Amino acid sequence: MTRRAIIKGMAAAPFIGAAGSVLSASPAQAATIDAGQFTLTARTANSYGEFADLTAGLATKLPTVDATAVIADVNRSATHLTSAPSTSEAFETGFAWDDDDQAVDYWIPQGVSTSADAYGDGTYPDAGTNRVVLASWYFETDPDGDGVDNYTLDKGLRLTFVNYNNASAPKYRHVLLVEPVKTSTGEFSFNPIRKHAGGIMWYGNLLYVVDTYKGLRVFDLNTLFKVPLTEKDVCGLHTDGQYYGYGYQYVLPQSHAYDNAGKYLRYTAIGLDRASSPDSLVISEYSLSGTVSYTDGSFNGTGVATTTPKVVRWNLDYTDRQLASLTATEAVTVGQQKIQGVVSRNTKHYLSASDGPSTKGTLRTFTSGGSTASAVCDPVIGCEDLSYHSSGASKWAFGESVIWNVGEYVNKRYVYAVHADGS
């Protein structure tokens, strides 16, 4: 089944709570649960070898660049937004993709992060000057959701670097996310990553990407490879001895992984919390009607803790940008359906909740241990991942703290920031 078809299957019947009524759109209950149930294992290799060795092998075959070079080599123009898009409220800034990316039905935007996540002053690289927005997209072979693939070749995941140094005229470039491998004859190569990439988080030189059923994939933005633009249907080492990335100029190889090892967790979205001490990341779970499904895929883990949607936190190590501990430090349940994005500020959590292709979404907030949630504002139709951008970012600050969001639907694909207080 395609990813869209899986979600359609989850929609077969609404969840009925103990009281016999469908859970409301607003979080009616939130509770703290044992965080020790949720653990990860660090992984530095795949079945082909160590990620570092595979990447080093590719570096002997291909030109190597870092993210700064890609940011300077943008090739598409976005449209600056001067006012709130569609149904969005509390608007601060944003842009729309070019006409081709607005209209394409097989590439679907999902995740968002910015250089204000990467470094506290808001720019990239460390002590640099670039103001950057990142977005993730997944390839959908069945975009109309009828159960029949419109496209036979799944090209996996792509990441977009948006150069936002000139906010009135943003420019961007797509790169392909890949996993380094070896061919059957032992040659270094890479494969597409056919996942959903529902959320991303940029932290220092590392990009964290959620893997719905498995955990987290990590990519080092210091190492990308430049490949020829031809052979748009080939990924990796081709029969002509050249490497290709489905027609993209750059490919970004995976460098690390964190695999779920504790109770099942649906890795739907990810957000960075710079207000906590130490910095931390939070994961949220999607559920269609207030109960999380763990039957639509092969989940890593040891069983179900609870099917109520959760927000789970892990501490980060500022020195190497990896996890400080493999055991979660906080876990809270929240009776909210259709959670697409999450960010936190200590005990305060923000959630984006979608409502289909024709109805505006909602940005809500609740506190750990609190029993109710409040609406902040209405984001656009098809709201997805979130990224918090503090007004304290000295080199890229707005008058107040904002939250970035991205819309997924064709011709409604906006990337924009709203005031965190909903004003």
Side-chain angles (χ1 to χ4, degrees):
M1 298 175 71
T2 66
R3 283 156 285 197
R4 285 285 174 90
I6 289 171
I7 297 301
K8 286 179 66 180
M10 291 167 59
F15 172 68
I16 305 297
S21 60
V22 178
L23 286 174
S24 67
S26 299
Q29 296 178 343
T32 300
I33 60 174
D34 176 20
Q37 301 175 89
F38 305 102
T39 61
L40 292 155
T41 56
R43 178 165 55 87
T44 61
N46 59 20
S47 60
Y48 300 92
E50 292 287 324
F51 288 125
D53 294 340
L54 296 168
T55 301
L58 286 168
T60 67
K61 308 289 186 180
L62 293 166
T64 304
V65 301
D66 60 14
T68 305
V70 178
I71 294 163
D73 191 25
V74 287
N75 63 340
R76 292 175 177 249
S77 296
T79 300
H80 174 61
L81 297 175
T82 58
S83 60
S86 183
T87 57
S88 176
E89 299 173 338
F91 176 78
E92 174 65 39
T93 189
F95 61 89
W97 305 111
D98 71 12
D99 290 345
D100 288 343
D101 286 326
Q102 282 287 352
V104 66
D105 62 349
Y106 48 80
W107 280 115
I108 301 176
Q110 294 288 289
V112 66
S113 189
T114 78
S115 52
D117 281 339
Y119 293 104
D121 70 1
T123 59
Y124 186 84
D126 190 16
T129 59
N130 289 309
R131 303 174 179 185
V132 187
V133 178
L134 294 184
S136 64
W137 310 59
Y138 76 91
F139 195 98
E140 177 55 79
T141 57
D142 177 26
D144 58 11
D146 64 357
V148 178
D149 287 343
N150 300 61
Y151 306 97
T152 57
L153 179 60
D154 183 347
K155 296 185 177 181
L157 305 177
R158 71 182 185 184
L159 180 71
T160 307
F161 288 84
V162 183
N163 185 323
Y164 214 66
N165 290 329
N166 180 1
S168 63
K171 294 185 178 297
Y172 64 96
R173 179 182 281 275
H174 304 304
V175 308
L176 191 71
L177 296 181
V178 298
E179 182 171 356
V181 299
K182 285 185 177 180
T183 67
S184 59
T185 58
E187 297 288 338
F188 293 106
S189 187
F190 48 81
N191 288 337
I193 299 173
R194 295 182 172 118
K195 298 293 181 178
H196 190 71
I200 60 175
M201 185 193 79
W202 190 1
Y203 190 53
N205 63 306
L206 299 183
L207 175 74
Y208 287 75
V209 180
V210 291
D211 185 331
T212 307
Y213 310 119
K214 305 298 183 184
L216 301 170
R217 292 176 183 252
V218 184
F219 301 78
D220 187 344
L221 296 181
N222 287 331
T223 304
L224 295 92
F225 296 118
K226 190 173 184 178
V227 296
L229 292 169
T230 52
E231 299 295 346
K232 297 185 184 302
D233 291 336
V234 177
C235 180
L237 181 60
H238 194 34
T239 53
D240 63 1
Q242 297 292 314
Y243 291 84
Y244 301 99
Y246 289 141
Y248 293 101
Q249 185 79 83
Y250 301 98
V251 299
L252 173 59
Q254 183 175 341
S255 62
H256 200 81
Y258 290 101
D259 298 328
N260 193 69
K263 294 297 185 181
Y264 292 163
L265 189 66
R266 192 177 190 92
Y267 289 79
T268 299
I270 184 172
L272 174 66
D273 186 353
R274 281 192 175 279
S276 64
S277 182
D279 294 345
S280 58
L281 66 81
V282 287
I283 299 294
S284 66
E285 297 186 289
Y286 179 88
S287 65
L288 188 72
S289 300
T291 184
V292 182
S293 172
Y294 300 110
T295 62
D296 61 310
S298 179
F299 282 82
N300 284 352
T302 60
V304 178
T306 173
T307 57
T308 305
K310 294 171 285 297
V311 173
V312 182
R313 181 192 304 272
W314 276 268
N315 286 341
L316 293 163
D317 185 339
Y318 180 82
T319 61
D320 62 7
R321 304 292 170 159
Q322 300 279 359
L323 294 187
S325 172
L326 298 176
T327 301
T329 58
E330 181 186 22
V332 294
T333 61
V334 54
Q336 171 67 57
Q337 62 192 27
K338 300 181 180 178
I339 299 171
Q340 301 282 12
V342 62
V343 287
S344 299
R345 301 288 287 173
N346 280 317
T347 59
K348 186 173 185 177
H349 311 284
Y350 295 86
L351 306 171
S352 59
S354 64
D355 197 13
S358 58
T359 306
K360 62 187 178 183
T362 304
L363 179 65
R364 302 183 189 278
T365 186
F366 74 100
T367 58
S368 299
S371 60
T372 60
S374 58
V376 177
C377 63
D378 293 334
V380 297
I381 292 169
C383 60
E384 288 289 329
D385 199 25
L386 299 176
S387 177
Y388 193 94
H389 188 147
S390 172
S391 60
S394 59
K395 293 184 180 178
W396 185 16
F398 300 103
E400 56 186 284
S401 296
V402 299
I403 297 175
W404 289 84
N405 183 233
V406 58
E408 70 168 335
Y409 292 114
V410 169
N411 294 322
K412 299 173 184 177
R413 291 173 173 166
Y414 308 106
V415 183
Y416 59 98
V418 298
H419 301 155
D421 65 359
S423 61

